Amino acid sequence: FQTERGKEGGTEWCYTAAPLLGSCCVQTPAPMDVQMCQSIQPCHADHQGDLSAGQLLKWMDTIACLAAERHAGMACVTLSMDDIQFEETGRVGQVITIKSKVNRAFTTSMEVGIRVSVQDVREHVERLVCVAYSTFVGKPAGPQKVLLRPVEDLCSAEEQLQHSLASERRRLRLYNEQTFSTLLQDYHTLANGQSLCISQFTRVESIELVLPPHANHHGNTFGGQIMAWMENAATVAASRLCGCFPSLRSVDMFRFRGPSSVGDRLVFKAVVNNTFNNSIEVGVRVEAYNCEEWTANKPRHINSAFLIYQLANTPGDVPAFPQVTYTTQDGERRYLSAIVRKRIRMARKHILSCKEEAPLSVPWDKSNQVYLGYNNVAALTVLAGKQDWEASSISDRVAVYVHEEVELLCVQVQMEVMSSALHAFTLLADLTLRPLWDKHYLSCEEVERADEEETVYHIKCPPINGGKSRDFVFLLSKRQPCKDGDPYVVALRSVTVTTVPPVEGFLRSEAKCAGFLIHSLGLNSCKVCYYNQVTSGVLPYVAGNLAGWSKSMEETASACTTFLERDLITTLY
């Protein structure tokens, strides 16, 4: 096969059109693809024999830069690298394959997608290590910004999907700063002081002198080398907290704020910002000094990043790390900022997810009515019983919580209502009344009533954020308490009914589990808890809340509370 070879740090590298090991045919990369294959040597590994994350970041930055320069036709520089999620690691003797391609070019910047896989040559099995996205700009010869040509010839469905998602990822990046400020204000009211370890104990400061081998082909400090040094400082900070070496699982973002060059002194400052149920966030700041700046102690802030670590084989319901606290105002800022970034990461993950769901609806008829009704109520009860709900926003009478488990995302909205539980149950159990208080319901029609406890409804919902109008077919199952202390239950799930075929102009969508639990607090007060296991059909209506640029769930909950407190019960008789 046609192969170009060279040496870097004593290690052989190649850009090749040869197939992956174990393939039965030659797979030539697309014209704008760039590919690197690396055999993992002991010099690339950590003390456990795993591929060093810092070394992998070097390779990823190199390959992404080459793809960007191939598209732009000139030298390019890294602005950021984000959305890095490590699924696997490589070990000595395995083969790492890194592919990169420009997904989309905007006016002056472009997004480069990076895919890393690992292969054991003995097993001939390829596994995904991580996917990441870098933003590059052309390096101009003068003061003017470089205008980039658009990406054309999108042949495959995957290329078209990534081209479309690149625009959405860019939109979320631009929203990020405004969203961050808004959410940070919200989380000031949610901070709690239950902590065990002072985060200052984990502080790390390390210095590196930039030498010629650390420079890239532009003469500046190689961005991949800076990221590797940052990863090293962050790992030391994390290990100080937990007393061992945790695994790097994701990187929030490497953001390059300015260049450095040979001869600069780079100071890396890392500290644990916050710990969560089974993860830990470490913040790293990079300051650069030339000789004069070093003497005058005037640093340049050139980079920052937030790295997330986990302990291997840690059960999700057992805290793996001690909680941390802060002793300074800056420590409080970092502590709360970590909570906000976790919220934004969760939102980005689910908003940008393009995984296809299996059909969620089940056929409805009266022969399986008992089974479906039981399953509907049981699913809602299990959802409500989940632990570790995280507060998203709390006001006087409305609180929003989220719960995440791997690919599962759930939301809970709690409302304090000044009416009896029976009153609230009667109104919420009649879904045709919901358009009166929920702006996401255009209309709701009763399709079939099986008995007093099970009813099928057809709901039409308006478009959101320029998307399509959607409709749902729900089975509503309602139950009154069996004994004192039990809640009233209104459970919802999607079903298919032959009498309600897809409607022109509406996208038929599905919900897996949703509904209300209504707890009596007294003769004229109750707590209404709404739950929803978020699906792709529901996500557009909660995405704004998750990402922090909307308060639609709080607004809808307030409208529901107002509706329930009106004296409308007489209209039902």
Side-chain angles (χ1 to χ4, degrees), residues 126-377:
E126 184 182 48
R127 299 188 305 276
L128 178 66
V129 173
C130 70
V131 174
Y133 302 95
S134 284
T135 302
F136 283 82
V137 294
K139 187 178 181 181
Q144 299 295 324
K145 291 184 177 181
V146 176
L147 301 181
L148 300 171
R149 62 184 177 86
V151 174
E152 300 173 341
D153 301 325
L154 301 173
C155 302
S156 68
E158 177 65 20
E159 289 175 335
Q160 294 173 8
L161 174 62
Q162 291 302 325
H163 185 265
S164 176
L165 288 177
S167 180
E168 183 67 10
R169 284 187 287 264
R170 180 172 183 266
R171 185 176 71 91
L172 292 177
R173 292 184 192 108
L174 296 176
Y175 265 123
N176 191 62
E177 186 172 343
Q178 177 183 354
T179 298
F180 184 86
S181 300
T182 301
L183 290 177
L184 191 59
Q185 294 176 358
D186 291 343
Y187 276 95
H188 267 289
T189 64
L190 302 178
N192 59 61
Q194 300 176 358
S195 311
L196 301 176
C197 178
I198 298 176
S199 62
Q200 293 296 106
F201 168 75
T202 67
R203 186 174 292 277
V204 173
E205 184 167 316
S206 179
I207 189 170
E208 299 284 352
L209 177 63
V210 181
L211 301 174
H214 303 141
N216 59 22
H217 53 303
H218 310 318
N220 294 326
T221 310
F222 172 40
Q225 179 63 70
I226 294 177
M227 289 192 288
W229 282 332
M230 295 173 74
E231 184 272 335
N232 175 73
T235 300
V236 174
S239 63
R240 284 183 174 177
L241 179 70
C242 59
C244 62
F245 288 95
S247 300
L248 179 63
R249 288 305 178 206
S250 63
V251 179
D252 190 282
M253 177 179 286
F254 288 105
R255 179 174 296 173
F256 291 84
R257 300 174 180 271
S260 67
S261 56
V262 173
D264 279 352
R265 290 83 170 157
L266 302 186
V267 177
F268 298 83
K269 299 179 178 180
V271 66
V272 171
N273 291 331
N274 205 338
T275 60
F276 304 100
N277 190 40
N278 64 343
S279 65
I280 176 175
E281 183 195 276
V282 181
V284 187
R285 175 187 174 96
V286 186
E287 297 174 347
Y289 303 79
N290 59 28
C291 288
E292 293 76 14
E293 293 165 340
W294 185 248
T295 303
N297 193 27
K298 294 183 177 180
R300 288 173 283 123
H301 180 196
I302 65 166
N303 206 329
S304 59
F306 304 97
L307 293 82
I308 292 82
Y309 290 83
Q310 289 181 342
L311 291 179
N313 301 320
T314 299
D317 56 349
V318 178
F321 301 101
Q323 291 180 292
V324 298
T325 188
Y326 45 83
T327 56
T328 64
Q329 187 173 357
D330 181 66
E332 180 185 22
R333 177 189 60 81
R334 290 186 287 99
Y335 180 90
L336 295 176
S337 297
I339 300 174
V340 172
R341 281 187 292 271
K342 182 175 184 289
R343 163 84 173 272
I344 293 174
R345 283 193 299 272
M346 177 193 67
R348 286 175 62 87
K349 170 185 172 182
H350 291 278
I351 291 173
L352 296 174
S353 174
C354 53
K355 293 183 178 179
E356 294 185 1
E357 292 178 333
L360 302 176
S361 298
V362 293
W364 158 263
D365 61 58
K366 290 189 177 181
S367 65
N368 62 358
Q369 167 194 333
V370 174
Y371 166 76
L372 288 182
Y374 167 79
N375 189 58
N376 199 10
V377 173

